[in-house]
Amino acid sequence: MKKPISIFIMDVTNSTKNWNEITGYLEEVESITKKWTRGLPNTKVKHRLGDEIVGIFDHYSTAYTVAFYISQLWEHREQPPYFGITFGIVEDDIKNIDLDKWNHPLMGLARNANEKIKLSSQRPSMLLLPEDEIMPSESLDMANLLLAYQHKLMSEQTALQHLITKLFAILDEQKAIAGLVNKSPSTISSHYKKGNCEIILKTLKTIQETLDQIEAKTIGNYPNHITKELTKTIRNQLHQNINTIISS
C-alpha cells in the first residue's frame, strides 16, 4: 500500500564546540518531537551520530512543520539546526523501519539536501529535495526561495523579535503575549512588524498548504485537516510550557 511520508535529517552548526551539551539537548528535542507527533499513525524519530536527528513522518508537510517549530524553540541561537527535507511515497510500513539500516532513495535525498546546506555559503536552515516527478523544478525552486527568505528574516531578528515570533506561533494573541512578556500591546505590535513576524508565519502556512496540495494531487489524500491538527497539537503542548519557553 502506498503511503505519503516526509523525512528530515537535522544537523547542528558547529556542534563539536560543545558536543556534550548539544548531545544532551538533542535527546530533549527527540523526546519533544515524539510527543508532538504521537497523534499520527506512523512516526519514527531518532537522535544518532552525535549531532543528528532523523525523523520519518506520515504526510508530506509534517517534516517541515516539525522542523519549523524546532527551529523556533531552539535554545542555542549561535548554533542553529539545519534540516534536509524530502517527501514522497513508500510501500514500507514505517513501524517496521530501522532508521540505522533503511536505505530507501528518499533517505538519500534527505541526506543530499542536508549536505547541500552544509556546503552552501548562505547556509539556509532548511532545504527541500523531493523526487523529480513529485514536484516540478520551478515549484521546488520557488519553495526553497521562500525557505531561504524565511531563514534570512528569522536570522536577522533581535532576541525580543524572535521571542515574539515564537509566541505568536504558539498563541497568536497580541494581548496575551504582551501580558506574558510584560510589554504594552503597542510595543508587541511594533516588534511584530519590525521583526517580519507576519511574513515568517505566512511562509509557514504557505509551504504547509503547498505540500498538502501536492500530496492531494499525487496520491488522492486530502491532508489539510491533519496538518492543522498537528500544528494545533504542537501549539497546545508548547502552551503548557509557555513560562519555560519565555525564560529560555
Side-chain angles (χ1 to χ4, degrees):
M1 183 178 176
K2 293 182 177 180
K3 304 177 188 70
I5 69 164
S6 54
I7 300 170
F8 70 57
I9 295 179
M10 186 196 98
D11 276 319
V12 180
T13 305
N14 296 328
S15 60
T16 54
K17 185 174 71 173
N18 53 342
W19 66 270
N20 200 29
E21 182 181 1
I22 292 295
T23 297
Y25 183 52
L26 286 174
E27 291 174 359
E28 294 180 36
V29 173
E30 176 191 15
S31 176
I32 290 167
T33 302
K34 288 178 178 177
K35 289 179 182 177
W36 289 350
T37 56
R38 63 187 173 193
L40 295 171
N42 300 293
T43 293
K44 280 285 180 81
V45 182
K46 186 172 184 179
H47 168 217
R48 63 181 194 177
L49 301 176
D51 68 343
E52 180 178 279
I53 291 180
V54 179
I56 302 179
F57 312 94
D58 292 304
H59 303 295
Y60 287 1
S61 67
T62 306
Y64 166 68
T65 300
V66 172
F68 175 83
Y69 276 94
I70 290 174
S71 69
Q72 284 295 303
L73 273 293
W74 189 258
E75 294 179 5
H76 300 268
R77 289 200 71 192
E78 299 302 314
Q79 295 170 270
Y82 55 95
F83 302 82
I85 302 173
T86 192
F87 53 91
I89 298 168
V90 299
E91 299 281 349
D92 306 86
D93 188 336
I94 294 177
K95 294 176 183 176
N96 298 327
I97 290 173
D98 183 339
L99 285 176
D100 291 321
K101 297 178 181 178
W102 196 57
N103 199 28
H104 192 279
L106 285 174
M107 285 291 280
L109 287 170
R111 176 72 62 196
N112 289 344
N114 185 277
E115 288 297 321
K116 284 188 175 187
I117 294 173
K118 193 178 295 186
L119 297 173
S120 170
S121 59
Q122 302 299 319
R123 291 301 289 266
S125 57
M126 301 179 204
L127 185 72
L128 294 171
L129 188 61
E131 294 174 325
D132 292 340
E133 62 270 21
I134 294 284
M135 192 175 188
S137 59
E138 297 85 358
S139 299
L140 179 61
D141 290 344
M142 185 76 71
N144 279 323
L145 184 60
L146 278 175
L147 287 175
Y149 275 119
Q150 186 183 56
H151 167 74
K152 184 176 189 297
L153 294 176
M154 289 193 295
S155 64
E156 291 176 347
Q157 288 181 317
T158 65
L160 180 57
Q161 289 167 358
H162 174 66
L163 175 60
I164 289 170
T165 302
K166 182 163 48 176
L167 293 175
F168 266 100
I170 299 168
L171 300 172
D172 198 24
E173 291 184 28
Q174 182 172 300
K175 287 184 179 180
I177 292 169
L180 285 168
V181 298
N182 199 26
K183 303 285 184 182
S184 68
S186 60
T187 299
I188 298 300
S189 178
S190 175
H191 284 285
Y192 180 83
K193 292 174 183 176
K194 290 179 181 177
N196 294 296
C197 303
E198 183 177 9
I199 297 173
I200 290 167
L201 297 176
K202 275 190 173 180
T203 301
L204 167 67
K205 291 182 179 178
T206 298
I207 294 177
Q208 285 177 322
E209 289 169 359
T210 299
L211 296 176
D212 285 343
Q213 289 166 6
I214 292 170
E215 181 176 330
K217 183 178 179 180
T218 57
I219 201 169
N221 281 352
Y222 296 92
N224 182 258
H225 66 289
I226 297 172
T227 301
K228 288 182 177 178
E229 191 62 31
L230 171 66
T231 304
K232 181 180 177 181
T233 297
I234 293 172
R235 290 172 64 170
N236 286 342
Q237 291 196 25
L238 293 175
H239 193 181
Q240 292 173 16
N241 297 291
I242 200 73
N243 291 329
T244 301
I245 290 167
I246 291 170
S247 61
S248 63

